Amino acid sequence: MEDIDLEQQEPLPVDRDGRVFGSAADQPDGVRRVGCCEKFQRFVSRWMLPEDSRSKYLERANCCPPPIFIILISIAELAVFIYYAVWKPQKQWVTLDEGIWKSPLTYKADKRQEAWRFISYMFVHAGIEHIVGNLVMQLLLGIPLELVHKGFEVGMIYLAGVLAGSLASSIFDPLSALVGASGGVYALIGGYFMNAVVNFREMIPVLGIFRILGIVIFVGTDFGFAFYRRFITDEDGLKVSFVAHFGGIAAGMTIGYVFFSDYNKKLIKDPRFWLCIVGYVLFFVFAVCFNIFLSPAA
């Protein structure tokens, strides 16, 4: 039997206390190989969660199921846009075309008794910049949010923003039409923005500045196009409301923030959750009563 020279053997990795790591999973990050999925999950956790929530997320993080809601809703919006673009091509890239205006999905004040329009308007967009801006932002922000918070929560916030946007528009700009998914997109932005501001020191401060600046630039540019469509363009006397942006971001900065800040916690035990729900229900009831009894729209 040969003698074994211990000095020629490959050293076993040990921790700072001298204990040997039993497997690759037990080895520190500098020793074991980290897969692409794990690297992506770590990147997502740094951008989406404060430091005290990241370890719990990484313990159970996986890419299955994928972020189904935000992907499916984006595909549906793109499909509707392509349908109307092929059926009746738009005359300009920032104006409504007759085909979109006559769509059964578009919200119009004189058709508000068709209740589905308060939600379905999110599938119809006014032009190339409108659909591209919304899709890019909701995919860049929505996919990481859905990986962390899952599809049900992200979907609830998105749809809450869409509904809040149309209801707010029916109250504060009651004679204007409404198209686009900006209400839902702004709900995601509002929730993420509040979480990033409140937990600024923990969510990578240097990059946090660029994130906030990026959001401000996007919001400013999008509002510029929204104001243009509302006050400058005049396609057959039709006006497109921009109030949905405010309704969506208000929903995001309240309901969205509570959902996103309560990671790995029970929402029903958070008084902020019930306060937001009660506030949203009261707003909904007021908006319904306004549209039935007080709206100046025909």
Side-chain angles (χ1 to χ4, degrees):
M1 186 173 181
E2 296 183 2
D3 295 332
I4 298 176
D5 190 348
L6 295 178
E7 294 182 355
Q8 295 180 357
Q9 297 301 307
E10 192 72 23
L12 293 173
V14 296
D15 63 14
R16 65 180 60 186
D17 296 323
R19 292 173 298 186
V20 178
F21 291 106
S23 64
D26 297 327
Q27 296 178 18
D29 296 339
V31 176
R32 71 184 182 91
R33 184 173 299 176
V34 179
C36 294
C37 184
E38 185 175 350
K39 289 180 180 178
F40 177 69
Q41 296 290 359
R42 291 185 180 185
F43 174 80
V44 168
S45 69
R46 288 197 299 269
W47 279 75
M48 295 293 147
L49 292 169
E51 189 173 0
D52 58 352
S53 300
R54 292 174 197 161
S55 59
K56 180 59 68 175
Y57 167 71
L58 292 173
E59 286 178 7
R60 58 189 186 187
N62 58 72
C63 296
C64 295
I68 294 296
F69 172 81
I70 208 69
I71 292 176
L72 289 181
I73 207 73
S74 298
I75 292 174
E77 291 165 3
L78 182 60
V80 171
F81 178 80
I82 292 174
Y83 170 77
Y84 283 106
V86 172
W87 178 41
K88 285 194 173 183
Q90 301 182 65
K91 298 176 182 178
Q92 297 182 37
W93 69 306
V94 291
T95 59
L96 283 176
D97 185 76
E98 182 181 1
I100 297 177
W101 178 250
K102 293 182 178 180
S103 170
L105 303 176
T106 301
Y107 172 82
K108 296 172 65 178
D110 59 342
K111 298 286 188 180
R112 67 187 187 282
Q113 69 274 12
E114 298 174 352
W116 70 82
R117 292 178 183 260
F118 283 89
I119 295 290
S120 64
Y121 76 93
M122 70 178 180
F123 293 107
V124 186
H125 287 78
I128 294 294
E129 61 79 23
H130 197 196
I131 182 72
V132 170
N134 281 341
L135 288 182
V136 169
M137 181 53 69
Q138 74 184 26
L139 288 171
L140 286 179
L141 188 58
I143 288 178
L145 283 173
E146 193 169 343
L147 284 172
V148 174
H149 300 283
K150 302 310 176 185
F152 176 77
E153 294 184 1
V154 172
M156 290 292 291
I157 295 166
Y158 189 92
L159 294 177
V162 170
L163 182 58
S166 58
L167 292 175
S169 181
S170 71
I171 295 172
F172 298 106
D173 198 5
L175 301 180
S176 296
L178 194 59
V179 294
S182 295
V185 175
Y186 274 71
L188 299 182
I189 292 175
Y192 175 74
F193 180 81
M194 283 293 293
N195 201 21
V197 170
V198 172
N199 298 291
F200 180 79
R201 293 183 178 274
E202 300 180 26
M203 296 175 71
I204 315 179
V206 176
L207 293 180
I209 296 174
F210 289 102
R211 274 183 288 179
I212 293 174
L213 286 177
I215 291 174
V216 170
I217 291 172
F218 170 82
V219 170
T221 303
D222 193 51
F223 263 101
F225 280 111
F227 276 104
Y228 177 84
R229 288 190 295 267
R230 175 62 179 85
F231 295 108
I232 299 178
T233 59
D234 190 4
E235 184 82 4
D236 298 329
L238 306 177
K239 295 296 184 179
V240 184
S241 178
F242 63 92
V243 180
H245 297 69
F246 293 106
I249 204 166
M253 295 179 75
T254 52
I255 297 176
Y257 168 63
V258 172
F259 271 75
F260 294 156
S261 64
D262 271 356
Y263 178 77
N264 200 40
K265 299 177 183 177
K266 293 185 177 181
L267 281 172
I268 59 175
K269 294 184 178 180
D270 189 340
R272 299 176 304 167
F273 170 75
W274 294 109
L275 183 63
C276 289
I277 293 299
V278 170
Y280 194 93
V281 170
L282 290 176
F283 167 70
F284 177 83
V285 172
F286 172 78
V288 171
C289 292
F290 178 89
N291 277 278
I292 294 175
F293 302 110
L294 301 175
S295 177

